[in-house]
Amino acid sequence: MMKNYNSLIWGFLLFNSIGFASCAASNVDEVVKQTEQVPQNLDKVYTINSAAELNALTLSPGDKVIMKNGDWKSQQLNFKGRGTAEKPIILVAETKGSVILTGNSNLKIEGEFLTVDGLSFKNGFSVKDDVVIFTKTSSNCRLTNTNIEDYNPTDKTVDYKWVSLYGTNNRVDHCSITGKTHQGTTLVVWLDDKANYHRIDHNYFGPRPDLGVNGGETIRIGTSTYSMNDSYTTVENNIFDKCNGEIEIISIKSGYNKILNNLFYECVGTVTFRHGNHSEVSGNYFIGNDVSNTGGVRIIGENQKVYDNYLYKIAGTSLRASISIMNAFENPALSDYWQVKNADVQRNIIANSREAFVLGAGKDAKRVVAPDGVKISGNYVLNPTTLITILDEPANLNIQNNQAEGVSLSAGFLKLGNDLQLSDGVWQRKSALRKPFWLDVPVGPEWKKDNRSFLFK
């Protein structure tokens, strides 16, 4: 009887032990299932009121930092982190355009896949660094929907840049950058011993007065020191509105850059291949409206391409002609004028301008080396004051299949046929009609409407 009782007790304990283990296992499985169902989203959102709060953060891919609306006076923002292509780190205004950086504020972008969105710098000036700096270690970073306006010191001889692009694969887009009245280039792409592949697109560059001295470019790509290095920077779909700082609106000082499909409206200056080789200026609109000293494209260096541009009522001559091809120094230093070799000028339309082509421009006691291998082909010239001026005839000059109207024809030019038609206010080839980009593509910040009007007078 006792043996049977003990067996019963042991059986009861074994049954409960098994049952408890089974329940425990079932509970563990349930916890695991619940854990698996919980979203593993660790992205963080920070809301800040000062640069000190930003500078103290350690940011991870996917994090977002929101700057509270208001007046941020004399704030030195250091935006650092390493995002990824799938999960960039974002610094954004609470309401785009309502974070106003004043006083001596500036911004430094340092890291990978960082995006700055919706800020506004105005009613201030920088005392130490440039206004916005992409550092040398930055890559795949972006400044977008941002305004820099009238950020000028009282002393107009003070030189600092409003945007400095170091690093690689960075982008400045849909910004408004207007009203620079002091010394220094507005935006600079800084080059070293490797290409940087930056993109500058869909920005509005507003009026800038003539400084009367060198150093007032709106964009400079490279420097004389690194001018034989390649940048591969693209500048496209931007508006340059009365950017008159100096003779060079865009100064190309490196190789393999592209200036594509931009509007230069009443700009007193030129897009200049100043140093370096193998760059391209194509599909742009130069609207001079007979404003004194408005210019087109100035060519220096080797293997430069000038295709499919529209140049209207360009009033400049010689170095500021619609297309000016320069003479060079005999033994040039990096900062001097290098010989034009193999310039390729095709399918441009030049309407109602003073001087369509100038060859050997700038010839003087030092600039004595004529261009070599200039090709001018398939261009259209309507009603110029002067079709072509030859100050020093290039070697291996090839002028062919061009058409002109309203002027005495020169060798290589035929009477204008019926290839062109007026479309959207612009003379265009019938076989390649396109709507001017600024008519239906957003340019500048989505929240800011600049006072701009582009009439063809």
Side-chain angles (χ1 to χ4, degrees):
M1 183 72 178
M2 181 62 70
K3 180 185 284 189
N4 291 339
Y5 178 75
N6 287 337
S7 298
L8 184 61
I9 291 174
W10 281 111
F12 176 78
L13 291 173
L14 180 62
F15 175 81
N16 281 280
S17 175
I18 292 171
F20 176 77
S22 176
C23 288
S26 176
N27 288 338
V28 169
D29 288 343
E30 187 64 28
V31 169
V32 169
K33 289 178 182 178
Q34 289 176 0
T35 302
E36 289 174 348
Q37 290 171 3
V38 173
Q40 300 298 304
N41 184 358
L42 301 178
D43 301 349
K44 297 177 182 177
V45 177
Y46 302 91
T47 301
I48 62 170
N49 292 281
S50 70
E53 292 179 27
L54 172 66
N55 301 343
L57 293 176
T58 300
L59 298 169
S60 299
D63 287 352
K64 183 176 184 179
V65 182
I66 300 173
M67 297 174 65
K68 292 287 290 182
N69 292 345
D71 187 350
W72 290 55
K73 186 173 183 180
S74 298
Q75 300 288 305
Q76 279 67 56
L77 299 161
N78 295 308
F79 183 32
K80 296 182 179 182
R82 294 188 181 276
T84 66
E86 297 76 19
K87 300 182 73 172
I89 302 171
I90 298 172
L91 176 66
V92 63
E94 181 181 22
T95 303
K96 293 177 184 180
S98 295
V99 171
I100 313 298
L101 291 141
T102 63
N104 308 126
S105 296
N106 55 29
L107 168 67
K108 186 177 293 183
I109 302 169
E110 183 173 2
E112 299 174 2
F113 293 100
L114 304 176
T115 296
V116 177
D117 189 353
L119 308 187
S120 183
F121 292 83
K122 62 182 182 179
N123 302 324
F125 61 93
S126 183
V127 293
K128 184 178 180 181
D129 293 319
D130 299 336
V131 182
V132 178
I133 301 175
F134 293 74
T135 70
K136 292 181 179 180
T137 58
S138 66
S139 67
N140 297 288
C141 295
R142 181 182 181 194
L143 178 71
T144 188
N145 276 318
T146 290
N147 176 56
I148 308 176
E149 180 179 357
D150 300 330
Y151 216 68
N152 299 300
T154 54
D155 182 356
K156 303 307 180 188
T157 66
V158 173
D159 185 334
Y160 60 81
K161 283 62 177 171
W162 281 11
V163 180
S164 277
L165 273 167
Y166 295 91
T168 58
N169 296 100
N170 295 318
R171 182 183 181 194
V172 177
D173 69 283
H174 295 91
C175 293
S176 176
I177 303 173
T178 183
K180 192 174 195 291
T181 60
H182 66 96
Q183 186 76 11
T185 307
T186 304
L187 185 156
V188 178
V189 172
W190 298 95
L191 201 63
D192 52 26
D193 57 355
K194 63 181 180 180
N196 38 36
Y197 300 97
H198 295 317
R199 185 180 176 201
I200 302 162
D201 64 286
H202 298 90
N203 302 288
Y204 173 73
F205 293 94
R208 182 173 189 191
D210 188 349
L211 292 180
V213 293
N214 192 32
E217 308 98 327
T218 297
I219 294 178
R220 192 183 76 225
I221 306 172
T223 62
S224 299
T225 302
Y226 289 100
S227 57
M228 293 304 160
N229 292 27
D230 300 327
S231 177
Y232 290 94
T233 288
T234 299
V235 179
E236 61 183 337
N237 296 313
N238 302 282
I239 293 172
F240 298 83
D241 185 5
K242 303 179 183 67
C243 294
N244 302 337
E246 61 148 87
I247 189 173
E248 298 173 17
I249 310 162
I250 296 179
S251 183
I252 303 171
K253 293 188 173 183
S254 53
Y256 288 100
N257 302 289
K258 292 186 176 182
I259 315 300
L260 308 175
N261 200 39
N262 302 279
L263 169 63
F264 299 90
Y265 185 79
E266 295 184 359
C267 292
V268 177
T270 66
V271 172
T272 302
F273 298 92
R274 185 61 184 85
H275 298 306
N277 307 308
H278 303 284
S279 287
E280 178 180 343
V281 175
S282 294
N284 302 282
Y285 301 83
F286 296 82
I287 309 302
N289 283 338
D290 284 329
V291 173
S292 180
N293 286 325
T294 48
V297 182
R298 187 159 58 112
I299 303 175
I300 304 157
E302 301 181 13
N303 301 303
Q304 318 286 27
K305 297 177 180 179
V306 181
Y307 295 164
D308 300 304
N309 299 286
Y310 181 68
L311 303 106
Y312 176 75
K313 290 191 175 181
I314 302 300
T317 60
S318 188
L319 303 183
R320 298 175 189 254
S322 294
I323 296 176
S324 176
I325 302 173
M326 287 198 67
N327 259 27
F329 286 29
E330 281 190 311
N331 297 296
L334 283 175
S335 59
D336 292 333
Y337 290 86
W338 287 65
Q339 187 181 19
V340 173
K341 294 181 180 179
N342 304 317
D344 195 3
V345 181
Q346 295 192 42
R347 299 184 305 275
N348 301 282
I349 299 174
I350 304 171
N352 303 92
S353 297
R354 285 192 63 188
E355 212 166 26
F357 300 96
V358 177
L359 304 179
K363 180 180 180 181
D364 59 16
K366 289 185 177 181
R367 291 185 288 234
V368 296
V369 179
D372 185 358
V374 173
K375 180 180 181 180
I376 300 175
S377 175
N379 300 281
Y380 301 86
V381 183
L382 288 68
N383 305 311
T385 303
T386 303
L387 178 59
I388 187 165
T389 300
I390 300 178
L391 300 176
D392 202 349
E393 184 161 349
N396 302 304
L397 176 62
N398 181 357
I399 303 179
Q400 62 180 6
N401 299 323
N402 302 285
Q403 298 180 36
E405 178 180 89
V407 68
S408 297
L409 300 179
S410 300
F413 285 86
L414 304 173
K415 183 176 176 56
L416 182 69
N418 62 352
D419 293 354
L420 303 182
Q421 80 175 56
L422 201 61
S423 177
D424 289 311
V426 177
W427 285 107
Q428 304 188 48
R429 289 186 296 131
K430 293 177 181 177
S431 60
L433 296 178
R434 57 182 180 137
K435 183 176 282 293
F437 71 95
W438 64 90
L439 297 180
D440 58 5
V441 173
V443 176
E446 61 189 9
W447 53 267
K448 185 176 189 290
K449 301 302 180 185
D450 294 288
N451 182 22
R452 39 177 146 141
S453 175
F454 307 119
L455 302 176
F456 296 6
K457 303 172 185 176

